[in-house]
């Protein structure tokens, strides 16, 4: 079955080898050797019969919560992407629970993402819990910021949408104003889905990808994150498939419907090409 899956993913047009990183990009600063399939086998985290719910938890500190319509879209896409039932949990204010600071470069409010993970509550039926916030994050005092952070051993992660908004850095806290975004709400949905699936991918034991241009590539800044793919490469898709055993064609078709509903036609076009190739490999 695994060989058959690899055959169906052979597609040099859709999957591009990882380009050499430019100065300031993730791999230019983080020396990562990558994770092949056999290495992944020793890091797998699997959902179980009593541990299969994916929770999305809106977190707040000083800022407004992620809007309900955005959370609904994220919940819908997470269910398609990972093939698990998804629940949106109650909003949680963690302002008094974790250290915070004012970023010396951007002068915005930030919270310690590592401390957030330490304080996250994981229900007994959860495969993982993903905290979502409009507050900027830092992983440790020496770092400027981080888009997201995951703790596989605790089955939780947190990610921030703050730097995906054009008003980031102009005020102490980022405010969601879709009318001010280039591409409107659709662009924000794309960015939010990408970082969500990246961070939850870590919950399965999938490390950063260095082999292809891939959703699981690390990113150091918004431009690098924006230019990266919305989908998994053959190596990382094979890892997720090994755990979840989804129907690839059905998964792609559901993704087409989702991206089309948000008028994100670049993703739709990619998926339709993939569906043609996958069907031809049957």
């Amino acid at each position: 079955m695994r060989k058959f899956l690899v055959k169906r993913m052979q597609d040099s047009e859709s999957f591009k080898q990882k380009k050499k990183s430019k100065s300031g990009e993730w791999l230019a600063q983080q020396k990562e050797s990558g994770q092949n399939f056999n290495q992944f086998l020793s890091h797998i985290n699997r959902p179980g019969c009593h541990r299969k719910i994916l929770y999305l938890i809106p977190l707040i500190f000083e800022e407004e919560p992620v809007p309900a319509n955005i959370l609904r879209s994220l919940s819908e896409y997470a269910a398609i992407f990972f093939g698990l039932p998804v629940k949106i949990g109650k909003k949680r204010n963690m302002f008094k629970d974790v250290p915070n600071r004012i970023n010396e470069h951007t002068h915005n409010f930030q919270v310690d993402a590592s401390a957030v993970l330490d304080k996250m509550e994981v229900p007994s039926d959860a495969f993982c819990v993903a905290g979502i916030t409009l507050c900027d994050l830092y992983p440790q005092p020496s770092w400027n910021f981080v888009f997201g952070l995951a703790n596989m051993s605790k089955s939780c992660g947190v990610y921030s949408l703050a730097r995906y908004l054009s008003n980031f850095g102009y005020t102490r806290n980022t405010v969601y104003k879709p009318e001010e975004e280039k591409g409107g709400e659709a662009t924000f949905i794309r960015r939010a889905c990408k970082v969500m699936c990246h961070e939850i991918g870590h919950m399965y034991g999938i490390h950063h990808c260095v082999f292809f241009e891939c959703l699981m590539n690390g990113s150091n800044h918004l431009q690098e994150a924006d230019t990266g793919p919305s989908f998994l490469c053959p190596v990382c898709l094979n890892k997720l498939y090994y755990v979840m055993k989804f129907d690839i064609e059905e998964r792609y078709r559901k993704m087409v419907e989702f991206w089309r509903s948000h008028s994100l036609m670049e993703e739709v076009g990619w998926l339709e090409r993939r569906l043609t190739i996958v069907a031809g490999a049957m």
Side-chain angles (χ1 to χ4, degrees), residues 52 54 56 71-87 189 193 196-197 200 204 215 230-232 237 240-241 244-262 267-268 270-271 275:
K52 62 181 181 180
L54 198 165
L56 301 181
L71 286 170
R72 286 193 296 269
S73 293
L74 292 174
S75 173
E76 179 186 355
Y77 192 63
I80 295 169
F81 196 98
F82 295 105
L84 290 175
V86 180
K87 292 183 179 180
I189 290 286
C193 285
M196 173 186 70
C197 292
I200 295 175
Y204 283 84
L215 178 70
S230 297
F231 307 104
L232 296 174
L237 181 59
L240 185 62
Y241 174 81
M244 299 307 300
K245 300 295 189 295
F246 43 72
D247 182 304
I248 297 174
E249 288 186 82
E250 180 183 7
R251 181 174 180 269
Y252 278 161
R253 283 194 293 267
K254 289 179 179 179
M255 285 182 171
V256 167
E257 294 174 7
F258 175 85
W259 292 115
R260 182 174 282 124
S261 72
H262 292 286
E267 280 76 8
V268 170
W270 188 93
L271 287 161
L275 279 166

Side-chain angles (χ1 to χ4, degrees), residues 7-66:
K7 179 182 177 183
R8 297 171 83 184
M9 291 193 298
Q10 292 173 351
D11 174 8
S12 59
E13 181 182 354
S14 299
F15 301 118
K16 305 296 184 183
Q17 296 289 325
K18 188 77 180 80
K19 298 187 290 255
K20 183 178 180 180
S21 293
K22 300 175 184 177
S23 176
E25 293 185 338
W26 183 265
L27 286 178
Q29 297 185 353
Q30 308 294 328
K31 304 305 179 185
E32 296 179 334
S33 59
Q35 178 198 49
N36 62 33
F37 187 82
N38 288 331
Q39 290 169 329
F40 166 70
L41 293 178
S42 65
H43 290 87
I44 290 177
N45 183 27
R46 298 175 182 272
C49 294
H50 305 292
R51 204 178 132 262
K52 62 181 181 180
I53 307 298
L54 198 165
Y55 283 88
L56 301 181
I57 309 294
L59 302 179
I60 58 173
F61 301 89
E62 284 190 344
E63 72 300 326
E64 293 296 314
V66 175

